[in-house]
Every structure is written in structure tokens, then in C-alpha cells.
Amino acid sequence: MSRSDETTRLNVTLTPEHAAKLSRLAEQAYTLEGTLARSLLSRAIDEADIDSRGMIELLNGIPGSLERAQLGREQARASDTVLLGDL
């Protein structure tokens, strides 16, 4: 399989409000929620302007992101990690 044919599976957690909106949109579009979510996420990624300032603003807008990043750093320093091959 060539690199362009590969796909990556992601699990995404939505707030109840976003999940309900996705459900309504999918119903209106006569499609499955997963299909619509994949399309919306792909489009958002394609349209995203990835510069350092914009990325910082985006990350700062995620509730709890700083705390999770700090926890991850602490876990890494304590060698409390999982090798990628073990996932």
C-alpha cells in the first residue's frame, strides 16, 4: 500500500452539545454521523492555517489542555510512559 492510500483511525470525544449538533446535521444530510464527522474534520484540517501563533491560540482554547500537557511532561520525566510499539 502506498503512503497516499493509508488512513489513520482516530477517536474523538465531543461535548454533548457538539454530539447533538453532529447528530442533527447528519440526519439532515441523510448520512451517518461518522461519515459527516470525518468529512468535517478533513475540511477543517485542509483549511487550517498552521502558524505557531494560531496553533497556540487553538491549543489554549481546549479546556484543560495546559494541565494535560503538564501531566504528560511529569509522566515522561518519571518514565511513566508506554512505548508506541506497545499500543
Side-chain angles (χ1 to χ4, degrees), residues 6-54:
E6 293 180 26
T7 61
T8 301
R9 183 174 186 86
L10 298 173
N11 290 319
V12 177
T13 302
L14 298 174
T15 63
E17 295 81 14
H18 284 110
K21 185 172 184 177
L22 177 64
S23 182
R24 287 191 309 272
L25 289 170
E27 188 175 313
Q28 290 173 354
Y30 301 102
T31 190
L32 298 173
E33 292 174 5
T35 302
L36 181 59
R38 183 174 47 248
S39 178
L40 291 170
L41 180 58
S42 294
R43 183 172 181 179
I45 291 169
D46 287 343
E47 293 177 359
D49 180 21
I50 304 194
D51 63 48
S52 59
R53 194 170 335 126

